[in-house]
Amino acid sequence: MLYSDKRGKTKKVKRKVKPDEAPVQEMDQAEGEETEKKSVSGPCFPPTFSVSEIKNKQRRHAMFLKLKEEKRKQKLELKKKKKKERKALGDQAPPKEVPKTIENQRIYDETTVNPEDEEVAFDEGTDEFSAYFSRLTNPKVLITTSDRPRGRTVRFCEQLATVIPHAHVYYRRGLALKRVIPQCVSRGFTYVMVINEDRKVPNGLVLCHLPDGPTAHFKVSNVRLRKEMKRRGKDPTEHVPEVILNNFSTRLGHSIGRLFAALFPHDPQFVGRQVATFHNQRDFIFFRFHRYIFKNEKKVGIQELGPRFTLKLRSLQKGTFDSKFGEYEWVHKRHEMDSSRRKFHL
Amino acid sequence: MQHDDAIWDLIGNDNFCSYKVKTKTQQFCRNEYNVTGLCDRSSCPLANSQYATVREEKGLCYLYVKVIERAAFPAHMWEKVKLDRNYAKALEQIDENLIYWPRFIQHKCKQRLTKITQYLIRIRKLTLKRQRKLVPLSRKVERREKRREEKALIAAQLENAIEKELLDRLKQGTYGDIYNFPIHAFDKAMEKQEEETESEEEEDEEEESGTREFVAEDEFEESDLSDFEDMNNLKGSSDEEEDDEEESGEEEESEEELEEEKTKAKSKGKAPLKGPIRKKRAYVEIEYEQETEPAQKSKAI
C-alpha cells in the first residue's frame, strides 16, 4: 500500500476526480499501478495539493520536474498562439510589449535634469567648474595615496597618471591632507586625488577639486591593472584622450559628471584615438580607457588599454576635504537609500 | 628582614612561582609590582623586604614603596607616593624617598620612571597626529554591493555603449576631416537613425570649425531647393539653440566639451541628431538605394 501510494495517488485522483486530500489510501494497489504509466496533467490535481507535500524526496523531485515541464509546455503554447495572432492581425497587431528592466522601472527621481532647464544651466554656469568650462584654467592633477601604500596601489597610481594628462604622483609620507591642500593650491594644482588602500588593495578614492571645489569620496572596486587585462593594446601615449560620460542624469549626477570632465584638458587630440569613459549604471560608475579605430563609418573597433575600475559615490562635500567640519552636500545613507532596488541617485 | 632567603629558595630559580614566566633563555616575573620585569633574586617583590617600584596610572607616575612591617596586611603593604610631573623633580623625589636604600632599587626605579615618561610623551605626540579610523564593513552589505555591481556591469553593455557613442561623434563630425569615408554610406547610416536628440549645438560648431564642406555635401546631394532653405533655417535655429545649452550659459567653443555635456545629459543609447534638420524635414522614407535620385532622397523623421 505504501509503495505506489505517492505516485499512484495523483493517478487515482485523476481517475476518480476526487477533491480530496492527496494521501488517499483506500484504493487498490492494482488500479494504482495500472494507471502509473499514464501521464499526469496539471488541472487534475485537487486544489490543496502541492508538490512540496510529498515526503519522499525522489518522488517529490520527479513530480516537480514534471510540473516544470508542463509549465514550460503551456508557456510555449501560449507563445505560439500569440505569434499566430500577431501574424494574423498583421498591421493591427498591438505593439510588442517591452520587457521590464531595472532601468525601465526606475523610480523617477525628481532631481532629474531636463536638458532645457535654465535654472540648471545657470547654476552650472556659476558653480565651481565654470572656471574650467570657460577655459580659464587647465587641469593639473596630483595623485597620492594613503600612508604606506603597497605595490598594487602604487602601480595603480602610476597607471592612472599615464591615463590622465598632467597628472603627478607624489608619495604621501604621513602628511595631513589639510596641510597638503593649501600647498597644492599655491602650486597651481586643480585636483587632488587620494587613493585609499586597505589590505594591499585600493578601495577608496577622494577626489578634491582644488580652489575650494567639491570633494567627492568614492568606493573603488574591481581594480584591474594593465597587465591583468586580456587582449590589451600597447601603453597609452601622451595624447590627450577624449572623454565619454554616460547616464549622469540627476542634479547630483551632473555635478559628478562635471567633476570627472574637469579632470581632462579641454581639447582632446583626436590623433591619439584614445577615449576615457565614465559610464554610470545603477549608481556604479565604470571607468574604461580604450583606443579606438574606425574601420568604416559604421563600425568602430575598440581595444582596452589602461586600468579599469568601478566607483560608487559615498559622499559629496561642498568645500575641500574636511571630514569633521565640512558641509556635506550628499551622503550615502544605507538604510534610507538602499531600501529600494529601483531607486538610484546618480 | 623577613625570611627573604627562605622565600627565594621556595619560589626562586627552578621552583614554581605563579608569577613566573619561563622562556628559553630567560625568566620573567608577571608581578605588577616588579621593577625590572625579570625573575631575579634582587628583583623579586616577594623575596625582598626592602622594595620599591614606579608605576603609572592615567598619565601620572607613582612611587610604590613596600612597608615590610605590614606584611601581615597585604592590602596596606604598599605605600603610594605621587611623583611630580616634572621629570627632574620626580627624580629628586625618588631620591629623597628612597634615601639610604640599596643603590640597585633606586637606580631601577629611576630607570623605570624614565621609560614611563618617554612613552607618555610619545602617546601625547601620536594623539596630535592623524589617527587612522577603522570603519567596520558589514559582510552582508558588501556582498550585496558586489552582486549589484556585477549586474550593473552586465546591464551596462559598456563596449556597445562606447562604440555607439564614438560612431555618433563621428557622425556629428567632431572629428573633422580626419576620417574620410564615402558619403553614400554615411548618408545611409544617418538615415537609419531614428532617435531624438536633446542638444543641437554640434551642428553649429561643426560648421564653424570648418567641417562645413562635409555637411554641405550632404545638403547638395539632396539638391532640393527646399533643402537650401532648410539649411538657412538650420543655421538660424542652431544659433538660437546656442542660448539654451544644457550645461552652461557661457558659450563654449570646444566641441569636446559640448559632447561631454551632451552625453552627460543624454540617456543611454540615444544618439544625438542634427535636430533642426530632423524637425524641419518631414520626409517619408521611400528608398535608400545607391542611386541618388535627388528629388526623392529621403530622410527619417
Side-chain angles (χ1 to χ4, degrees):
Chain A
M1 243 342 220
L2 289 172
Y3 288 113
S4 65
D5 228 9
K6 307 298 178 188
R7 187 155 280 163
K9 70 182 162 197
T10 53
K11 280 43 162 203
K12 289 175 212 157
V13 166
K14 178 181 152 192
R15 280 186 95 210
K16 304 284 172 175
V17 195
K18 254 191 207 168
D20 284 354
E21 287 254 279
V24 173
Q25 307 243 354
E26 302 90 38
M27 302 318 300
D28 290 288
Q29 210 171 13
E31 287 181 11
E33 276 167 313
E34 273 177 14
T35 59
E36 250 181 45
K37 299 291 162 34
K38 287 194 189 165
S39 66
V40 183
S41 65
C44 293
F45 287 110
T48 51
F49 174 74
S50 90
V51 180
S52 56
E53 279 174 25
I54 305 175
K55 300 297 182 182
N56 184 328
K57 185 168 180 177
Q58 282 181 344
R59 291 213 180 108
R60 187 171 65 233
H61 187 57
M63 284 305 296
F64 179 70
L65 289 178
K66 274 192 212 150
L67 198 73
K68 274 262 169 172
E69 240 199 83
E70 273 175 42
K71 277 197 184 159
R72 211 179 300 154
K73 265 193 223 163
Q74 283 177 10
K75 196 172 171 190
L76 271 176
E77 281 175 30
L78 204 66
K79 262 194 186 173
K80 271 191 189 168
K81 242 203 289 181
K82 272 198 176 165
K83 207 171 175 185
K84 261 193 204 167
E85 282 173 14
R86 278 189 83 88
K87 261 193 184 171
L89 288 180
D91 282 329
Q92 302 159 357
K96 256 193 176 170
E97 292 163 33
V98 178
K100 290 186 197 171
T101 64
I102 293 186
E103 282 77 27
N104 285 344
Q105 307 296 100
R106 176 179 174 173
I107 296 176
Y108 177 69
D109 197 333
E110 31 194 46
T111 60
T112 309
V113 175
N114 200 351
E116 294 110 32
D117 202 338
E118 288 167 1
E119 187 190 332
V120 174
F122 176 72
D123 275 343
E124 287 174 352
T126 53
D127 77 350
E128 295 107 353
F129 297 108
S130 54
Y132 167 79
F133 284 113
S134 53
R135 293 202 173 228
L136 291 173
T137 54
N138 277 323
K140 192 173 169 196
V141 182
L142 175 81
I143 302 183
T144 182
T145 64
S146 53
D147 287 338
R148 299 193 183 268
R150 311 293 292 188
R152 210 179 146 85
T153 312
V154 172
R155 268 176 280 149
F156 180 53
C157 286
E158 289 166 19
Q159 292 184 4
L160 263 185
T162 55
V163 164
I164 303 175
H166 307 302
H168 306 271
V169 183
Y170 283 95
Y171 281 123
R172 181 73 174 277
R173 288 166 145 266
L175 298 169
L177 263 187
K178 282 194 204 165
R179 292 211 204 110
V180 165
I181 285 176
Q183 281 187 24
C184 288
V185 178
S186 64
R187 298 210 190 160
F189 280 98
T190 53
Y191 264 102
V192 169
M193 220 177 183
V194 182
I195 297 180
N196 193 11
E197 188 200 13
D198 177 52
R199 291 213 203 142
K200 308 183 193 174
V201 134
N203 76 340
L205 176 73
V206 175
L207 191 57
C208 184
H209 183 77
L210 268 186
D212 341 294
T215 308
H217 176 41
F218 297 95
K219 174 174 97 144
V220 169
S221 45
N222 277 358
V223 172
R224 273 227 223 145
L225 300 176
R226 256 190 222 129
K227 61 178 186 176
E228 295 156 13
M229 302 260 210
K230 300 181 186 174
R231 289 188 280 267
R232 69 175 170 99
K234 294 190 188 161
D235 288 335
T237 57
E238 292 292 322
H239 296 110
V240 173
E242 298 176 43
V243 179
I244 292 182
L245 297 158
N246 272 342
N247 276 352
F248 289 95
S249 57
T250 63
R251 284 300 295 270
L252 180 66
H254 258 247
S255 33
I256 300 289
R258 303 179 94 225
L259 195 74
F260 288 132
L263 268 177
F264 293 89
H266 297 95
D267 300 309
Q269 292 168 315
F270 298 122
V271 187
R273 284 186 288 126
Q274 287 170 155
V275 58
T277 310
F278 292 89
H279 182 105
N280 171 36
Q281 188 81 17
R282 302 182 195 173
D283 281 355
F284 287 99
I285 303 171
F286 298 101
F287 172 83
R288 300 286 185 270
F289 193 74
H290 293 277
R291 180 170 284 141
Y292 63 87
I293 180 161
F294 284 107
K295 296 178 192 162
N296 54 39
E297 68 282 348
K298 271 185 283 179
K299 266 178 75 176
V300 58
I302 54 176
Q303 191 186 39
E304 184 150 13
L305 300 183
R308 66 155 80 155
F309 51 92
T310 47
L311 300 170
K312 186 162 201 282
L313 181 68
R314 269 200 240 170
S315 69
L316 181 65
Q317 194 180 23
K318 254 201 166 358
T320 55
F321 180 73
D322 189 341
S323 47
K324 276 194 254 178
F325 306 112
E327 177 197 344
Y328 280 96
E329 206 176 298
W330 187 84
V331 173
H332 179 74
K333 293 185 187 139
R334 192 160 52 88
H335 290 289
E336 293 171 17
M337 300 183 181
D338 269 357
S339 53
S340 162
R341 279 187 222 193
R342 310 275 178 261
K343 186 162 175 48
F344 306 113
H345 310 279
L346 274 187
Chain B
M1 304 299 183
Q2 191 169 358
H3 313 301
D4 288 345
D5 292 325
I7 293 175
W8 183 247
D9 274 340
L10 286 172
I11 62 178
N13 289 319
D14 280 330
N15 302 330
F16 178 77
C17 168
S18 63
Y19 296 107
K20 195 187 295 193
V21 174
K22 268 184 160 178
T23 45
K24 259 197 208 161
T25 47
Q26 229 181 2
Q27 289 175 354
F28 295 101
C29 183
R30 276 192 311 126
N31 193 319
E32 47 195 10
Y33 290 103
N34 191 316
V35 172
T36 54
L38 308 170
C39 184
D40 222 86
R41 177 65 185 88
S42 41
S43 317
C44 186
L46 306 173
N48 285 303
S49 339
Q50 208 178 21
Y51 202 79
T53 338
V54 174
R55 270 170 72 185
E56 174 260 334
E57 220 175 285
K58 293 184 195 163
L60 291 172
C61 301
Y62 297 92
L63 174 69
Y64 285 79
V65 178
K66 183 174 178 180
V67 179
I68 198 61
E69 288 81 22
R70 293 192 227 131
F73 314 101
H76 308 297
M77 194 160 56
W78 292 88
E79 258 186 19
K80 197 165 147 176
V81 176
K82 185 169 172 181
L83 293 175
D84 206 76
R85 280 192 195 220
N86 186 335
Y87 177 62
K89 286 202 190 139
L91 283 177
E92 286 171 11
Q93 274 180 315
I94 291 181
D95 261 333
E96 69 178 76
N97 275 308
L98 297 183
I99 197 169
Y100 306 132
W101 278 51
R103 273 193 293 264
F104 176 79
I105 294 192
Q106 285 181 14
H107 187 229
K108 288 298 179 190
C109 282
K110 287 181 198 164
Q111 275 189 336
R112 204 174 159 97
L113 173 71
T114 315
K115 234 350 170 247
I116 288 175
T117 42
Q118 283 174 350
Y119 81 62
L120 285 177
I121 291 171
R122 201 153 164 249
I123 289 176
R124 273 180 247 137
K125 226 192 284 180
L126 282 177
T127 50
L128 286 179
K129 267 196 184 178
R130 303 151 27 232
Q131 310 267 29
R132 190 171 285 208
K133 185 178 175 193
L134 294 175
V135 175
L137 295 175
S138 167
R139 213 176 302 165
K140 172 180 167 187
V141 172
E142 292 303 306
R143 247 188 283 150
R144 198 207 295 161
E145 297 271 299
K146 197 164 146 234
R147 192 165 168 78
R148 285 200 184 160
E149 189 186 319
E150 286 165 10
K151 298 279 180 181
L153 183 62
I154 295 171
Q157 293 175 358
L158 280 169
E159 276 94 39
N160 292 347
I162 296 175
E163 285 170 10
K164 213 171 203 174
E165 176 61 30
L166 289 171
L167 284 171
D168 292 336
R169 287 190 186 180
L170 180 66
K171 286 187 177 68
Q172 259 103 53
T174 47
Y175 300 129
D177 283 333
I178 303 177
Y179 304 104
N180 298 316
F181 292 124
I183 301 160
H184 290 316
F186 202 84
D187 264 355
K188 268 211 286 190
M190 274 204 336
E191 291 166 27
K192 283 174 187 164
Q193 284 181 23
E194 287 174 44
E195 298 93 343
E196 301 114 358
T197 184
E198 287 157 321
S199 85
E200 300 88 352
E201 311 93 56
E202 309 296 272
E203 295 91 47
D204 194 37
E205 298 306 314
E206 293 163 18
E207 284 149 31
E208 279 171 8
S209 52
T211 57
R212 192 171 293 129
E213 292 142 22
F214 200 67
V215 175
E217 274 178 331
D218 263 354
E219 322 288 306
F220 282 138
E221 281 224 329
E222 330 266 308
S223 75
D224 259 353
L225 291 180
S226 52
D227 288 349
F228 284 117
E229 290 169 5
D230 281 343
M231 204 166 84
N232 292 335
N233 290 346
L234 163 119
K235 271 228 207 143
S237 54
S238 49
D239 282 333
E240 292 159 28
E241 273 135 18
E242 258 187 34
D243 295 340
D244 42 20
E245 285 165 340
E246 341 161 7
E247 290 295 319
S248 78
E250 304 138 24
E251 279 183 72
E252 287 128 17
E253 319 269 331
S254 133
E255 308 160 336
E256 163 71 10
E257 278 165 355
L258 290 176
E259 279 160 5
E260 289 164 29
E261 285 131 26
K262 199 168 60 123
T263 54
K264 268 180 255 159
K266 200 172 57 159
S267 50
K268 185 174 93 140
K270 294 194 177 173
L273 286 189
K274 298 189 181 182
I277 306 179
R278 306 282 153 175
K279 283 177 187 166
K280 310 276 171 169
R281 298 174 198 194
Y283 289 87
V284 174
E285 251 182 18
I286 304 173
E287 44 181 76
Y288 20 89
E289 271 89 13
Q290 289 284 344
E291 11 174 20
T292 51
E293 300 171 299
Q296 283 180 0
K297 194 72 176 188
S298 48
K299 284 253 181 211
I301 296 172

